[in-house]
Amino acid sequence: MNDKILKIKQVALEAIREAKDREALRDVENEYFSRKAGVLTEMMKSIKDLSVEEKKKVGQLANETKQEIEKAIVEKNYELSEEDWANSLAVEKIDLTAPVLPHAERGHLHPVSIVQKELEEFFSSMGFIIADGPELESDYFNFSSLNIPADHPARDSQDTFYIKNHPDWVMRTHTSSLQVRSMQKYGVPLRVIMPGKCYRNEATDARHEHTFYQLEGLVINEAITMAHMKGVLEAVAKHLYGPETQVRLRPKFYPFVEPGVNGEVTCFLCDGAGCKVCKNTGWMEIFGAGMIHQSVLKEGGIDPEKYQGFAFGFGLTRLVMLKYGIEDARILQSGDLRFIKQF
Ligand code: PHE
């Protein structure tokens, strides 16, 4: 009997050693341990029928053999799985840039986001921080804090959407709603831009949308002048439309700046000669700006005797339309893939 056991052990260990892969090893395991007809299972069963005397002689060897074979299988299995792993790494090249789904189309930035990012980078390079704020805004930050009290006619051109049962809430009509907020939050000296979505109750047409984007900016410090303002805005215009671009500032009334201007650049399509896009004027309006009104500085907790500053607001949607020659503002938010896929 002992000889038989030793023979089984020899053959089994040999088979385990030779197993080429995990499947072959599983076959060997079945051959020896299967409940029905496994060689070792049968062997253990046959021991039960032996006399007590013989059991003593054979039992220990049989058990040791069984354990030894089990251990060999476990070790070989480990060895083979290591090999499998190494092989799969060698074969499988992992492309970290591949899209998650094998054939999924990749998305990309919306044209408004492209222009916004471009401006954020440029302003960052001039030391501006980038801030954000709520689109659902209080009447105070959107209007009153900016010298636009409840009965002011400037509210007419900025009718917006209101929230039922919340008379003091409005969908912000411009990013200027963040002027006083940012002064209160960051204090002086301040250099900040605030891009974002704005809303107005418009009868929409090609140039007017109820939802659009602006990019607001503030610079406040001691001895800031209109020359600084023109310098910064000119740099932005040249960055956007090329080094030859001229900036023209013309007086315009905004209740929260004094003096206030409207900013135009030479039409980059016709170089100022006059064309359809600039309505034959040679100029295109792209921002409003001005020196921050003293009372607005006060609302922001800043001493107007000591500090001055300028504010500007770019029509971001406008810049996008000009950059890509988009004639109808409404298409930007249409979700029309034929449009979006062109960027
Ligand atoms: N908020 C103004 C508008 O929406 C633009 C502006 C911003 C003007 C900052 C002056 C200073 O038209």
Side-chain angles (χ1 to χ4, degrees):
M1 184 75 188
N2 276 355
D3 284 353
K4 201 179 152 199
I5 296 174
L6 288 174
K7 185 79 194 155
I8 290 175
K9 176 171 145 182
Q10 193 195 339
V11 175
L13 291 180
E14 175 83 18
I16 292 166
R17 212 179 309 122
E18 309 260 277
K20 284 209 174 56
D21 50 33
R22 288 203 280 173
E23 204 177 312
L25 185 65
R26 221 169 294 132
D27 289 344
V28 177
E29 188 177 4
N30 264 333
E31 189 185 335
Y32 286 87
F33 289 96
S34 151
R35 273 180 196 282
K36 276 188 202 145
V39 177
L40 283 170
T41 320
E42 296 296 317
M43 184 190 79
M44 297 311 268
K45 268 188 212 156
S46 66
I47 290 173
K48 270 188 208 135
D49 303 331
L50 296 175
S51 66
V52 181
E53 194 89 333
E54 277 174 305
K55 255 189 211 163
K56 267 189 192 157
K57 269 200 246 157
V58 184
Q60 200 185 346
L61 180 67
N63 269 328
E64 277 169 12
T65 302
K66 194 183 159 209
Q67 279 165 15
E68 212 170 315
I69 294 173
E70 264 169 1
K71 188 167 165 248
I73 289 176
V74 169
E75 280 172 2
K76 183 71 179 180
N77 189 44
Y78 181 73
E79 191 183 300
L80 289 171
S81 40
E82 289 276 278
E83 252 170 53
D84 275 3
W85 175 236
N87 285 340
S88 69
L89 277 190
V91 175
E92 193 182 298
K93 291 202 182 71
I94 299 176
D95 178 2
L96 293 176
T97 64
V100 180
L101 301 170
H103 301 294
E105 262 183 75
R106 296 181 74 176
H108 60 78
L109 293 177
H110 188 277
V112 173
S113 308
I114 295 173
V115 176
Q116 181 180 324
K117 270 178 170 280
E118 200 178 300
L119 281 171
E120 285 177 358
E121 263 167 43
F122 186 65
F123 276 106
S124 301
S125 77
M126 293 193 289
F128 283 72
I129 57 168
I130 302 161
D132 204 356
E135 290 170 18
L136 178 57
E137 186 54 281
S138 68
D139 183 284
Y140 171 74
F141 284 117
N142 196 80
F143 294 122
S144 332
S145 70
L146 298 171
N147 279 337
I148 314 173
D151 55 356
H152 198 286
R155 289 205 180 195
D156 280 357
S157 60
Q158 299 201 5
D159 191 21
T160 181
F161 303 99
Y162 302 91
I163 312 297
K164 224 181 196 168
N165 303 328
H166 290 279
D168 286 333
W169 293 1
V170 297
M171 295 305 286
R172 69 176 176 198
T173 58
H174 50 184
T175 42
S176 301
S177 60
L178 297 175
Q179 289 192 6
V180 169
R181 275 187 184 279
S182 61
M183 291 177 209
Q184 291 178 351
K185 185 162 180 193
Y186 303 109
V188 275
L190 184 59
R191 247 184 286 179
V192 62
I193 56 161
M194 298 158 291
K197 225 186 239 179
C198 306
Y199 305 82
R200 286 186 200 178
N201 180 12
E202 301 272 9
T204 62
D205 60 29
R207 295 179 144 245
H208 298 95
E209 246 296 39
H210 49 69
T211 304
F212 56 96
Y213 290 78
Q214 288 191 340
L215 186 142
E216 192 84 5
L218 289 181
V219 172
I220 306 174
N221 207 340
E222 290 179 50
I224 292 289
T225 70
M226 271 193 102
H228 295 117
M229 181 182 93
K230 190 167 187 204
V232 167
L233 295 173
E234 232 167 45
V236 177
K238 287 185 189 236
H239 174 74
L240 285 172
Y241 303 119
E244 304 304 319
T245 313
Q246 306 267 318
V247 174
R248 174 166 90 166
L249 302 179
R250 294 197 297 172
K252 181 162 180 185
F253 174 72
Y254 295 102
F256 38 96
V257 285
E258 177 60 33
V261 298
N262 122 27
E264 295 167 314
V265 291
T266 36
C267 177
F268 54 89
L269 285 176
C270 63
D271 280 335
C275 68
K276 196 177 123 209
V277 176
C278 61
K279 289 190 262 163
N280 279 317
T281 63
W283 297 93
M284 288 187 305
E285 183 183 346
I286 57 168
F287 62 84
M291 299 306 289
I292 303 168
H293 198 287
Q294 296 213 342
S295 65
V296 178
L297 287 172
K298 276 188 211 153
E299 293 294 333
I302 294 167
D303 178 3
E305 298 300 328
K306 197 167 173 212
Y307 294 98
Q308 299 78 45
F310 61 87
F312 54 86
F314 280 91
L316 196 53
T317 299
R318 197 72 204 285
L319 297 180
V320 175
M321 292 173 72
L322 293 173
K323 176 173 170 127
Y324 296 109
I326 298 165
E327 285 174 3
D328 193 327
R330 293 169 291 191
I331 192 110
L332 285 164
Q333 256 125 207
S334 65
D336 190 333
L337 288 178
R338 290 168 303 180
F339 167 74
I340 289 297
K341 281 185 172 173
Q342 295 176 49
F343 297 90

